[in-house]
Amino acid sequence: MKLSRLIAVAFAGAALTVGAATQPVVAADNPYERGPAPTNSSIEATRGPFAVSTKTISSLSARGFGGGTIYYPTTTTAGTFGVVAISPGYTAAQSTISWLGPRIASQGFVVITIDTNSRFDQPGPRGTQLLAALDQTIADTTVRSRIDASRQAVVGHSMGGGGTLEAAKTRRSLEATIGLTPWNLDKSWPEVEAASLEIGAQNDTVAPPGSHAIPFYNSLTNAERRSYLELRGASHFAPNSSNTTIAKYSIAWLKRYVDNDTRYEQFISPGPSPSLTNGISDYRIN
C-alpha cells in the first residue's frame, strides 16, 4: 500500500470511543512536509528554499547504471527527504536533463540524474537502471542519512519516460512516476500503482502524445492517481532545457505524492486551464 494511502487510512481511523460517545482526534500534521507553504512563484522559481550540494557517481563506481550526479539539500536538521531518480532519453546523456536535478532537490528531495549503460538502451533497461540508481543513492554514505527510503519516485524523458512505467511495474512501492514526452512500445499499464503524471508535447513528432503519453494515461487504471499535461506548441525535446511548466507541475506532483503534502493539491486539481498564455494545450486528471 502506498505511503499516502497508509496515512489516509491512519487519519480516517483517528477516533477514540469512550462509552457511547465518539471523540474525534485531530490528525497530526503531515510529518513529510518540507519547506514553507507553496505559491505559484515558489514552485516556478529556478531554486526552492533548500540550499543544494552535489556528488558525482562515476561510471566506474555506479552499480547497474552508467553513472550520475546526486543533488541533495545541505540541511541536516529538516528531517529526511524522498528520493528521485531521473533518466535521459534515447541517445542522450544526463546533461540533457541535469537542469531538473538541483531544481527539484532545492524543493526538498534527494535527486540523482543518471547516464544509462548505453545511450541506445530501450525503456525496459532504463527502468531497471532507474531502480538501481535509487538503490545506490539510498545506500550512499554522503546522503543516506538524509533519505527516507520508503518514499521513492522516478522521472524520465522519452525512452526514459517509458522507463518510469517499467520501473513502477517492477517496484510497486514507488510513490510517483513522471514521464516527460514519454515513449514506449507498450501502451497498456494497468500494473502501475504509483501516482503517474505524463507530460506530452503538442508538436512532438518522435513520441506523438496520441500514440504514447495519452494512451499511457488512459491505461493507468490502477494508479493511485493519473494526470496528463500537454505543452502547447512544444516539441519532443522540450524537457532538454529549463522549462518552468515542466518543473512546476513535476514539483507539485512529487510533493503531493512522495511527501503526501496536500498543500500542493491546489496545482493539481482542478489543475491548469489550457490557454494560449500559460503554454498548456491539454490537461486531464482522473
Side-chain angles (χ1 to χ4, degrees):
M1 185 181 288
K2 294 286 176 289
L3 171 68
S4 52
R5 292 178 185 171
L6 286 168
I7 292 173
V9 170
F11 283 6
L16 294 177
T17 302
V18 181
T22 299
Q23 302 296 327
V25 175
V26 177
D29 291 339
N30 174 18
Y32 306 112
E33 286 183 4
R34 300 291 181 267
T39 63
N40 269 307
S41 296
S42 73
I43 63 172
E44 289 179 354
T46 57
R47 291 295 181 270
F50 294 96
V52 172
S53 294
T54 63
K55 178 176 180 177
T56 299
I57 304 299
S58 72
S59 59
L60 295 176
S61 61
R63 299 186 296 274
F65 59 104
T69 305
I70 299 174
Y71 302 88
Y72 60 96
T74 57
T75 178
T76 58
T77 61
T80 54
F81 302 97
V83 58
V84 183
I86 307 178
S87 168
Y90 186 67
T91 74
Q94 67 162 312
S95 59
T96 61
I97 42 85
S98 62
W99 68 274
L100 261 177
R103 195 155 180 171
I104 292 174
S106 69
Q107 295 286 346
F109 296 95
V110 175
V111 181
I112 181 168
T113 59
I114 70 168
D115 280 312
T116 49
N117 290 326
S118 164
R119 294 194 180 189
F120 303 101
D121 284 333
Q122 298 293 300
R126 288 172 191 268
T128 300
Q129 291 169 61
L130 282 166
L131 297 180
L134 286 174
D135 292 342
Q136 185 162 342
T137 304
I138 289 166
D140 185 87
T141 56
T142 300
V143 297
R144 64 189 179 193
S145 65
R146 291 173 167 83
I147 292 174
D148 177 354
S150 71
R151 297 187 285 134
Q152 303 179 27
V154 287
V155 180
H157 173 226
S158 191
M159 285 195 185
T164 66
L165 298 173
E166 302 278 0
K169 178 179 176 179
T170 299
R171 184 171 295 179
R172 303 294 179 91
S173 61
L174 290 181
E175 296 290 348
T177 78
I178 301 175
L180 308 176
T181 60
W183 187 102
N184 199 310
L185 290 176
D186 187 345
K187 311 301 180 186
S188 183
W189 298 96
E191 310 93 338
V192 171
E193 298 177 12
S196 296
L197 168 63
E198 307 302 322
I199 298 180
Q202 187 178 35
N203 293 342
D204 190 341
T205 59
V206 177
S211 302
H212 293 271
I214 292 174
F216 300 163
Y217 165 78
N218 288 336
S219 75
L220 287 161
T221 51
N222 290 309
E224 180 178 3
R225 205 172 191 185
R226 55 190 163 123
S227 183
Y228 172 70
L229 183 149
E230 187 174 279
L231 304 170
R232 181 179 296 276
S235 78
H236 183 69
F237 302 102
N240 291 158
S241 58
S242 182
N243 184 297
T244 297
T245 303
I246 289 174
K248 175 180 180 178
Y249 292 99
S250 295
I251 289 164
W253 197 259
L254 293 171
K255 289 296 240 181
R256 179 64 183 85
Y257 292 104
V258 177
D259 289 356
N260 196 47
D261 193 336
T262 56
R263 298 178 299 173
Y264 288 81
E265 182 70 21
Q266 62 183 299
F267 306 106
I268 294 170
S269 180
S273 298
S275 72
L276 292 173
T277 57
N278 68 6
I280 296 170
S281 53
D282 193 358
Y283 184 77
R284 312 176 191 187
I285 190 162
N286 72 317

